[in-house]
Amino acid sequence: MDMKKFLALFALVLATTFALAACAPAGEPITVDSNTIVIDVRTPSEYSEGHLDGAVNIDIQDANFGTILSQLPTDGEYVVYCRSGNRSAKAVEIMKAAGFTNVVDAGGVNDASTKTGIAIVQ
């Protein structure tokens, strides 16, 4: 095998390894009780394709995201998720900066379902 093919194969293996590691469920189970508000920060169309049972849809890309958050009690219990974990991480950061004290990032919808034990429904 020539060096170019070897390096291309090595890069592919490395990229695949990192992609799988990023998608692997991680972290401890998340306890959700009757006081916990589960927030799906995806778009309404993504939400309608499947969301955690009982989750509230507050689209982080909506211009009114901050206004909607300001109507929630900052001392409430929140679990936030999205499709892959990127938007939920950003939403949690925004919420903490706004004074929310008990916010958990559950990552992507599938990981959130696994960690919380809440089923995905349509």
Side-chain angles (χ1 to χ4, degrees), residues 22-23 42 46 81-88 105-109 111:
C23 295
R42 300 176 300 158
E46 289 175 300
Y81 72 92
C82 62
R83 181 179 52 83
S84 66
N86 291 327
R87 288 176 281 179
S88 62
D105 181 1
V109 63
D111 286 345

Side-chain angles (χ1 to χ4, degrees), residues 30-31 77-81 88 92 96 102-107:
I30 298 170
T31 302
E77 297 175 21
Y78 301 94
V79 172
V80 181
Y81 72 92
S88 62
V92 166
K96 287 183 176 181
N102 191 359
V103 184
V104 176
D105 181 1

